[in-house]
Structures are given as C-alpha cells and as structure tokens.
Amino acid sequence: MTTTYRIAELDAHWRAANYLAVGQIYLLDNPLLTEPLRPEHIKPRLLGHWGTSPGLNFVHTHLNRVIKERSLDALCVWGPGHGGPAVLANSWLEGTYTEAYPDIGRDTDGMGKLFRQFSFPGGVPSHVAPQTPGSIHEGGELGYSLAHAYGAAFDHPGLLVACVIGDGEAETGPLAASWHSNKFLDPVHDGAVLPVLHLNGYKIANPTLLSRIPEQELDALLRGYGYEPLHVGGSDPALVHPAMARAVDEALDRIHAVQQQARAAGTDPGGGRARWPMIVLRTPKGWTGPATVDGLPVEGTWRAHQVPLAGVRENPEHLRQLESWMRSYRPEELFGAEGRPVSSVMACVPEGERRLGASPYANGGRLRRSLPLPGLDAWAVPVEKPGSTRHEPTRVLGRYLAQVMRATAGRRDFRVVGPDETASNHLDDLYDVTGKAWQGMTEPTDQNLSRDGRVMEILSEHVCQGWLEGYLLTGRHGLFSTYEAFAPILASMVSQHIKWLKSAGELSWRAPVASLNYLLTSHVWRQDSNGFSHQDPGFVDHVLNKSPGVVRVYLPPDANTLLAVADHALRSRDRVNVIVAGKQPCHDWLAMDEARTHVARGAGIWAWAGTDHGTRTPDVVLACAGDVPTLEVLAAAALLRRHLPELAVRVVNVVDIARLMPQEEHPHGMTDTEYDALFTTDRPVVFAYHGYPWLIHRLAYRRTGHPNLHVRGYKESGTTTTPFDMVVRNDLDRYRLVMDVVDRVPGLADRAAALRQSVSDQRIRHHDWIRLHGTDLPEVADWTWTC
C-alpha cells in the first residue's frame, strides 16, 4: 500500500500525547499552563514512569495512522511496565476515556481531572490496568505481553494485534519462550501479531541486554526465532517518524501477503511455516524529556526511568525546568482555548470501534457467546451402587470436552492448552475432533499435529497461561490442563489475572468474560513414576489467598462429579476455577443426578456411607476433600462399621473447598448454622484433605467446633513408591484415620484398643509387603465398598 506520510500531523499527535503524559505525572492544577507554574500546581507525591512513555506514544500514534488508512480491526498489548501515562493520554485524546468516564471530558476541566487522578488517592494506577480502555494486559506484569498478544490473535482471522515489548521485559524467561508462539499461528484461521521490540536502552538502573548487543547479532537472534525484523531508530523525530511509517506499512503489507496466500491455498505459503514481520524500534529512554538535571545526563539514560525531575515543589530550578519541558511540546498549537485537541492532532486518529481504546476485542465480554455445552447424562458413567465400578475421571471428562470442541468447530471459540500433557492427562479423545496446533516441520512418526488445531501444547506453563488469558479476555473460552505440581509456576500470572478480573468486575463498562479454568491432574497422590519432585498440592493454597469474589476451588471425588464441576466452570464468567482431579482409575461414588446436586451444594453428608442415619448426633465426623482422601475415608468408615458397629459415624464430602469459609469471607462460604449442622459443634472431626492440612485449619479457624478439628493431608513426605504408601507416609491412610477416631472419640481408647493395635499392625505389614512385592497389599489394591 502506498501512503502519503503527513509527518506534521503525526508529530502533533505525538507531542500532544507526550504533553499529557508529563502532565499526569506532575500536575495537580494549571493543566494548560495558562499561567506560570507555581509549587501549588505540582502534586505533593510524584509517582509514575516517564522513560517508556514517549516510545509508547510514538507507537500509538503510528498505529492510529495505519488503522485509519487501512480500516483495520486492531488491538495493542502494551508490555513495558508502568506505561500508564502514555496509554491513558492516547485514550483521552481519542475520546474513549471520556466515554468510559463521562466526568473526565475532552476539555480543560477534563484534562485537569485526568492529570489529578493519575497515581493519586481515589484515582487510577500508574500502569496500564483494567481501568484503561483498550487494555487486556496489566502493565506491571512483565514477561507475558507477547503470549497475551498471540492468545488474542488465535481464532480472530480479521484482527491485527500489535504488541510493544520493552527491552527490560525481553529479558524475562516467559517472554523469551513467547517468541516461539509464531510456530502456532495459523495464517488461515488466526489473526496476525506484529511485535514491536522497543529498545530504549535501560531498565530501572541498568542497561538492557538486547540494546547492548550489536544490531547484527540482535537481527540474527530474531531471525532465528522465525521473524523478519524491520529496524527503526534515532533521536530526531523528523527522521524517525517517516522511518517508522515506512516500517509499519511494510510490515502490514507483508502480513497481508502471508494471509492472502495462505487463505487462497487453504494452508500457509508453500506448505512451510510463515515468516512474520516485526519491528525493532530504538529510541532514547525518556525521549524529548530533560537532557540533564543537576548537571547529570537524564534523557537516554536510566535516570529517565521514573520521574526525571524530583522535588519540584521545593526546588525552583526543577520547577523552571518542568515548565520549560512541558512548553517545549507547544501545547498552544495542540489544544484549543477550551482544552480540546485541535484537528491536526486528531487527523490520524481512527473513529468508532477502530480506535484502540474502543476495540471490542479489548472488552472481550462484548464478543463472548455462551458455549454450546452438551447435556451431562450422555457422558456420565452409570453408578448402580457406590464404589462398585471404576473409571478414569479425566478420560470421562475428555470425551465431554471433545464434544464441546466438536460443537464449536464452526465458531472456533474454544481451546484446550497445556504443557505437552493432553494425552498424558487422558484427554486425548480431543484428538478425534481437532489436532494440536503446529506450523512447524512434521515427521512421519508425528501424531495429531494440525495447522488448524485447537489443542495447544508448549512446554512453558507461562506461555500456555498467557495464550489462554489473551484468548479469554478477547471473548472466547478455554481450559488449561497441567500437572498439579507445576501449577505453582503460574503463581504470579494467576495472581495478576485474579486482580484483573476483580478490578474489571467493578467497572460497569467492562463486560464479563469467560472464566479461566484449570484442570490440575497427575496430582500429588498418584505420581507413581515421577516421585517427590512432582508432589506439590500448594497451588490451591496460593489461589485461596486471593480475591474471594473471583476464586473457586473444586475437588471432585469421582468421574461424574468432575463432569458436573467442569460443566459449571465452563458456564461461569469472571472466575478463576481450579479443579483438582485424578487421571487414574477411581471408584465411582455418585450417579449423575447425585453429582449435580452435590456440586450445587458444595459439601454434604453421604448418608449411605455413614452409620448415624440422620437420626442421632454422630459420635465422630469423617470428612474428606479430594479423590484419594475420599477413598481412604470410605475405607476407614467401612472398617469402623465392621469393627465398631455401635459407633455413629457421619461421612461428609467437600467438593467446593471455599464452603468451609465463613459466608462473610467468601460468596460460597457457609453460615455458622450450616457448618455446625454438617460438622457439629462438639464432636471430633477427622478431616482427610488432598493438600496441605493447615489450609483446612485456616479456612475453618473461626468455627465453633474448630478445637475438635483434626486434619490429615500431605506433609511433604514423598518419593517414588506405591499409591497406598504415599498416603501411609503422610498419615492419610485408612488405618491412621481409624486410629485417629479411636484416639479422639471419648471412651474408645479402652474398649477399641485391640482395633487400634490391629490397624497399626497393618501399617507395619504394609511397609514390609511393598518392599518385598513392589505392590500394595491385596486388601488395599482390591478394596471395594461393600457395605
């Protein structure tokens, strides 16, 4: 495409955005400098980041031009940390900020409010956040921008996703892995990602690696990743503007050619992988800011990172420098008498939903459609009697997910992601419907690879998470399947996503998006071959510390309950649902209708398993959460039924772990009346829990009966061993639970001493047996519920 570059108009828009960025960092009043700056015009606390802002403004300006000239549907992910002043400035200029916040108009009064609210009590954060129109990426979340961008582009064939990557951010491991996302982008069914690597040379206090290696080496690195870099650089705007305009046009022409050729052929060019363009933009840090302050260089150095001029209220020379700096943008040429941007500033700005701040893709709930979920009965396993059959819960779920994938084949808005574990986690029925996304070379021995596949695997949990977050935030649905032990790798990312959902939920103009659903399997109790390194149930603890309005954690005890939980999670919005379920053969406890009811209730008495029969106060409560703890509790209940038939035992299963919390602390929490009805106020409760036992104590510490609560769970005793030995090592086994009952129910210590000794001896026998035979005791391995 041939374009006439109107450099003066581009420069006017860029100068206006820079002026607004500086004003947000410094000014409390006098937004248009209609009078000389005085100390009282300056904020008492100067917070914000100038260094990256002029570069972001520069990119925004040039994206505006091509979006308008080419009528593009576009989105931009702003990766550099704390680039808030720039993106807010552009949002205000284009009018989307005023549309989201009508009290902040595009006039002098609105400009003053824009300045005052920035990093100010009751205002907005210093970084790009949910409050920023057009954003899907938290500005302080370094390392994930490129993965978010690719996630947004998947299954949006008409969308251009620009992604500005800061050179500090480019040093992170997640970003380094994210470069490989181009091997998964299908030019037929997906949109395009245009990475813009912005090299301004410095982080907070140090030079950046990519800015200091020779350009030839950098170019070779990026070409090795599979990109075709276009290099733009300099410090003279009169030269950098036309160079950037040419580079952006060339990049978009190349993208258009790749897509047209692939879509005409039904595959990518020549059957090989497409090579996508990217831009390397090299400009000074703090460009156009103060060159020196107090005799020290600032522009183009690390000193420009945050607030170049400190102590402006107290330092008259700094105040003079600030005014000179702001007037250097010639605001009288950029804003009219009433503070509105003049026509030359707005000449390159798109209109309507093509404005970056108004893109519906950045407010994905506006595009989201409900999933066509199948009825559960067709996929449920038959359960005539509790515990009489076994199924692999995740394999049953896999058949259900395959039907979801089949039902969304035409609309392409559902994906399953994970780090090379879809088949390992027994979800491989998905491959009957779709393959694994793959644009690279293939060998005859490869299986299930597909250029248009909607299962996505890369051995980087960070990239998987970033893909899925970008996919969800732009209006689609998905599920993340991974080994439980490696979910903690995602702790920082999920924390940011939870914060994003919480903040977005408080904004009336943000539409709800589909929930982020985790399936954590290959869990702590069944790591028969991997052992101690793969035994970590701590992700649940981390997540339950976060916003209760967002977080949900489910531990379904069998296949049908897993189906009911998954169905609920996939229907939910604005949540992070963590589902922990096993992939090994597991007893089937509940029929489908019972499972639905149990999931809706979240926790309940399994009357068929107990001996209190609902007619008397139990002597003891055996509680459980998780598939293996449920098995051990039921086996313990069967032993007690056989050996102590007079004992009234109540069995309680918890599938929604937040139910243990007080109602005042979590939307799913129980009232004290509900909790006491389940667990009693004065009877011993022996609780077998899937994860670290202290979590249950933390959730229930305010309950009346908490002093009677005794929790068994994982306590970091692991190795490569038999399944039952894992529970014995951690004192979660059925024999230990029976011993706990004998020890804690008043009067049992004497009359049940023989039973206690017998089950203690069984633990010793188990120890010897597995070392001789390498398998669990037959009475354990072959146990079924026969009561």
Side-chain angles (χ1 to χ4, degrees):
M1 172 180 282
T2 302
T3 304
T4 302
Y5 304 132
R6 295 180 291 188
I7 301 303
E9 292 171 346
L10 292 173
D11 192 64
H13 183 275
W14 180 53
R15 285 188 287 121
N18 286 340
Y19 180 87
L20 295 171
V22 179
Q24 289 175 78
I25 295 171
Y26 284 97
L27 294 191
L28 195 62
D29 200 359
N30 191 19
L32 276 175
L33 303 184
T34 52
E35 56 180 303
L37 275 183
R38 299 195 302 272
E40 58 267 28
H41 297 153
I42 308 301
K43 292 180 179 180
R45 297 172 66 239
L46 299 179
L47 302 170
H49 291 71
W50 164 247
T52 190
S53 293
L56 296 187
N57 285 332
F58 190 80
V59 174
H60 204 301
T61 295
H62 282 266
L63 289 176
N64 278 344
R65 177 189 68 81
V66 291
I67 292 168
K68 183 173 183 177
E69 291 181 354
R70 297 175 182 238
S71 298
L72 298 176
D73 291 327
L75 171 70
C76 189
V77 176
W78 307 97
H82 302 286
V87 186
L88 290 169
N90 282 279
S91 176
W92 186 86
L93 281 174
E94 69 186 16
T96 55
Y97 204 80
T98 298
E99 291 165 14
Y101 308 100
D103 61 314
I104 301 180
R106 273 198 300 174
D107 53 24
T108 304
D109 181 63
M111 187 188 297
K113 291 179 178 178
L114 178 77
F115 290 177
R116 172 180 282 268
Q117 65 160 10
F118 179 79
S119 276
F120 203 78
V124 297
S126 67
H127 46 81
V128 179
Q131 294 89 339
T132 310
S135 61
I136 66 164
H137 174 84
E138 185 72 39
E141 198 175 6
L142 291 182
Y144 316 130
S145 60
L146 194 55
H148 284 157
Y150 276 96
F154 295 141
D155 292 328
H156 274 151
L159 182 64
L160 171 71
V161 185
C163 179
V164 185
I165 302 156
D167 47 356
E169 177 185 26
E171 296 178 8
T172 65
L175 198 288
S178 295
W179 289 115
H180 292 295
S181 298
N182 59 1
K183 284 84 171 175
F184 299 85
L185 191 74
D186 175 15
V188 178
H189 296 95
D190 299 335
V193 174
L194 177 60
V196 180
L197 175 60
H198 184 212
L199 304 177
N200 63 26
Y202 292 90
K203 305 185 285 285
I204 296 174
N206 284 290
T208 54
L209 296 175
L210 295 188
S211 70
R212 291 294 180 92
I213 64 176
E215 186 170 292
Q216 184 177 2
E217 182 181 343
L218 175 63
D219 187 82
L221 173 68
L222 297 172
R223 290 184 185 277
Y225 280 130
Y227 295 90
E228 294 184 344
L230 299 166
H231 294 267
V232 178
S235 59
D236 184 349
L239 300 177
V240 186
H241 274 301
M244 184 66 170
R246 288 191 296 270
V248 174
D249 274 335
E250 183 176 348
L252 295 185
D253 288 344
R254 291 186 191 180
I255 287 171
H256 181 73
V258 168
Q259 291 177 332
Q260 288 298 102
Q261 185 174 353
R263 292 168 188 180
T267 182
D268 60 322
R273 194 179 80 240
R275 293 186 67 86
W276 299 92
M278 65 169 293
I279 293 173
V280 179
L281 175 63
R282 196 184 294 264
T283 61
K285 194 174 185 82
W287 195 13
T288 72
T292 61
V293 175
D294 298 332
L296 298 173
V298 173
E299 182 187 21
T301 77
W302 55 269
R303 294 187 180 91
H305 181 73
Q306 290 180 289
V307 180
L309 291 162
V312 177
R313 276 194 167 200
E314 300 77 30
N315 188 319
E317 175 56 24
H318 286 192
L319 182 66
R320 184 199 63 76
Q321 273 191 280
L322 173 62
E323 181 168 357
S324 175
W325 173 17
M326 295 191 71
R327 291 192 185 280
S328 72
Y329 298 117
R330 307 191 298 280
E332 66 280 0
E333 299 176 6
L334 308 174
F335 306 98
E338 297 180 350
R340 292 184 174 84
V342 300
S343 59
S344 60
V345 168
M346 300 301 294
C348 65
V349 176
E351 297 180 354
E353 290 189 347
R354 297 203 188 279
R355 294 170 297 170
L356 285 172
S359 171
Y361 298 95
N363 191 359
R366 293 173 54 193
L367 305 177
R368 180 191 53 82
R369 294 176 289 177
S370 297
L371 277 176
L373 296 175
L376 294 179
D377 291 332
W379 310 99
V381 300
V383 181
E384 295 181 3
K385 180 183 177 183
S388 60
T389 57
R390 297 187 188 191
H391 286 86
E392 300 167 5
T394 58
R395 193 172 300 282
V396 174
L397 177 65
R399 293 195 284 269
Y400 171 82
L401 294 175
Q403 181 56 31
V404 178
M405 194 69 79
R406 188 174 291 111
T408 56
R411 43 191 268 180
R412 294 185 65 91
D413 60 352
F414 177 71
R415 294 205 179 200
V416 173
V417 304
D420 191 28
E421 295 160 1
T422 305
S424 173
N425 288 333
H426 298 182
L427 302 177
D428 40 321
D429 278 350
L430 286 163
Y431 299 142
D432 293 338
V433 183
T434 186
K436 292 179 280 190
W438 185 259
Q439 298 292 315
M441 296 172 56
T442 58
E443 300 290 345
T445 53
D446 293 333
Q447 289 185 319
N448 303 315
L449 301 182
S450 173
R451 296 195 181 281
D452 62 352
R454 288 186 289 139
V455 173
M456 306 201 67
E457 294 187 335
I458 185 174
L459 204 55
S460 166
E461 286 84 357
H462 292 112
V463 175
C464 289
Q465 171 98 4
W467 283 346
L468 185 55
E469 286 182 358
Y471 199 70
L472 300 174
L473 290 170
T474 51
R476 284 74 62 75
H477 305 258
L479 180 136
F480 189 146
S481 165
T482 188
Y483 285 11
E484 180 188 47
F486 298 111
I489 293 172
L490 303 167
S492 175
M493 291 188 76
V494 72
S495 294
Q496 293 294 338
H497 190 71
I498 292 168
K499 293 173 189 294
W500 180 282
L501 292 177
K502 179 181 186 297
S503 297
E506 297 167 355
L507 301 169
S508 61
W509 55 271
R510 284 272 184 191
V513 297
S515 297
L516 172 57
N517 302 308
Y518 291 102
L519 173 65
L520 307 186
T521 186
S522 298
H523 61 53
V524 59
W525 301 109
R526 292 305 307 269
Q527 281 296 332
D528 304 359
S529 60
N530 289 312
F532 193 36
S533 66
H534 285 53
Q535 294 162 352
D536 184 352
F539 189 68
V540 166
D541 300 60
H542 173 76
V543 167
L544 280 174
N545 282 318
K546 307 303 174 184
S547 303
V550 175
V551 171
R552 305 289 185 267
V553 174
Y554 300 97
L555 293 102
D558 68 357
N560 285 339
T561 315
L562 175 58
L563 281 179
V565 166
D567 180 79
H568 170 76
L570 289 171
R571 294 179 191 276
S572 67
R573 303 179 298 173
D574 284 350
R575 299 286 180 264
V576 170
N577 297 306
V578 180
I579 306 168
V580 185
K583 68 181 184 182
Q584 305 292 344
C586 171
H587 289 81
D588 303 315
W589 305 115
L590 302 179
M592 196 65 245
D593 285 345
E594 295 170 323
R596 285 193 190 94
T597 301
H598 188 46
V599 170
R601 192 168 45 219
I605 299 170
W606 283 7
W608 53 267
T611 54
D612 64 326
H613 305 302
T615 60
R616 54 180 286 199
T617 302
D619 295 312
V620 65
V621 176
L622 288 180
C624 48
D627 53 4
V628 169
T630 297
L631 170 64
E632 294 307 308
V633 158
L634 290 175
L639 286 169
L640 292 170
R641 185 187 293 243
R642 183 186 317 145
H643 296 285
L644 297 173
E646 75 283 4
L647 192 70
V649 178
R650 174 179 294 174
V651 175
V652 173
N653 183 267
V654 180
V655 64
D656 179 351
I657 203 70
R659 291 287 283 152
L660 298 175
M661 299 174 71
Q663 191 177 63
E664 305 80 41
E665 301 296 330
H666 195 285
H668 283 200
M670 296 187 216
T671 64
D672 285 338
T673 301
E674 291 175 308
Y675 183 92
D676 294 345
L678 275 185
F679 296 101
T680 77
T681 60
D682 60 353
R683 301 304 165 99
V685 178
V686 178
F687 199 126
Y689 171 57
H690 172 86
Y692 294 110
W694 17 96
L695 174 67
I696 302 302
H697 285 291
R698 180 171 69 81
L699 299 182
Y701 82 98
R702 289 170 54 184
R703 302 297 189 179
T704 302
H706 182 254
N708 306 312
L709 178 64
H710 178 61
V711 186
R712 294 291 185 179
Y714 182 67
K715 52 185 186 181
E716 286 295 312
S717 181
T719 186
T720 301
T721 188
T722 69
F724 189 65
D725 191 50
M726 272 298 298
V727 292
V728 172
R729 282 173 168 271
N730 289 276
D731 292 323
L732 184 70
D733 61 282
R734 60 199 67 180
Y735 303 127
R736 178 72 257 187
L737 298 177
V738 169
M739 294 165 65
D740 286 336
V741 171
V742 172
D743 292 344
R744 292 175 180 277
V745 174
L748 279 188
D750 292 332
R751 62 189 175 95
L755 172 62
R756 192 186 193 287
Q757 179 175 299
S758 173
V759 294
S760 179
D761 289 347
Q762 278 289 82
R763 286 165 57 91
I764 298 171
R765 179 169 169 253
H766 151 79
H767 179 274
D768 296 338
W769 178 276
I770 64 170
R771 281 156 181 78
L772 178 62
H773 298 280
T775 60
D776 284 323
L777 290 163
E779 57 262 46
V780 170
D782 301 331
W783 181 90
T784 58
W785 177 262
T786 58
C787 301

